Amino acid sequence: MGIALPLHALAAVIWVGGMFFAYMALRPAAGAVLDGPARLRLFAAAFERFFVWVWISVAVLLATGYWMISLLGGMAGVGMHIHAMHGVGLLMMAAFTHIYFAPFRLLRAAVAAEDWESGARNLNSIRMIVGANLVLGLVVVVFGASRGVWS
């Protein structure tokens, strides 16, 4: 597995850890101390930076994941925990792609136009999807750390 496994784990930590921080720490703190426009500007700027790292993480997860699967003889040669990580990971990637190309794009446009109502609506959409994706990401981490205990 060489460098693939540590790179895979690092990419997962960056993505899932970033979602955990944004959802469990940044969101409540920003809501407590910033008014609507400032909060929307903060999240638009924070997501702009974080989503670059998510795209990199997605690329690394796919490349290293499929590389490791190929070393183990393909999907037929891996345990159910790998199948579960694969399926849930693809679902998470689809959800992130939706966030990026729909509510995040609209959030950025709303902030630029100072349309705070639309911005708040789109930030709320992102919040709900990130919350679900965070739960999925934590489940994937458990599957990965279990190394087949659940198979």
Side-chain angles (χ1 to χ4, degrees):
M1 302 277 167
I3 192 73
L5 185 57
L7 286 176
H8 196 80
L10 183 60
V13 166
I14 289 168
W15 187 9
V16 176
M19 287 191 297
F20 188 90
F21 170 76
Y23 198 86
M24 302 301 291
L26 181 61
R27 184 184 65 82
V33 300
L34 297 174
D35 67 355
R39 187 173 59 251
L40 292 169
R41 285 186 186 105
L42 170 68
F43 275 100
F47 288 149
E48 186 81 39
R49 289 161 180 79
F50 176 57
F51 288 169
V52 170
W53 289 103
V54 176
W55 282 118
I56 293 167
S57 294
V58 165
V60 169
L61 287 164
L62 289 170
T64 57
Y66 287 129
W67 174 252
M68 290 185 291
I69 287 169
S70 75
L71 293 176
L72 296 170
M75 292 301 279
V78 297
M80 286 306 298
H81 68 294
I82 302 296
H83 288 274
M85 282 195 310
H86 181 247
V88 174
L90 290 176
L91 180 62
M92 289 177 64
M93 291 172 197
F96 168 68
T97 301
H98 170 72
I99 288 171
Y100 188 83
F101 289 108
F104 175 59
R105 176 177 280 171
L106 296 170
L107 171 63
R108 287 190 306 186
V111 168
E114 297 185 358
D115 180 355
W116 308 124
E117 185 178 324
S118 174
R121 215 174 24 256
N122 285 290
L123 182 59
N124 190 54
S125 293
I126 293 168
R127 177 192 61 80
M128 291 187 304
I129 299 167
V130 167
N133 236 17
L134 174 58
V135 171
L136 293 174
L138 294 171
V139 168
V140 168
V141 168
V142 169
F143 283 141
S146 73
R147 300 199 55 138
V149 171
W150 307 102
S151 294

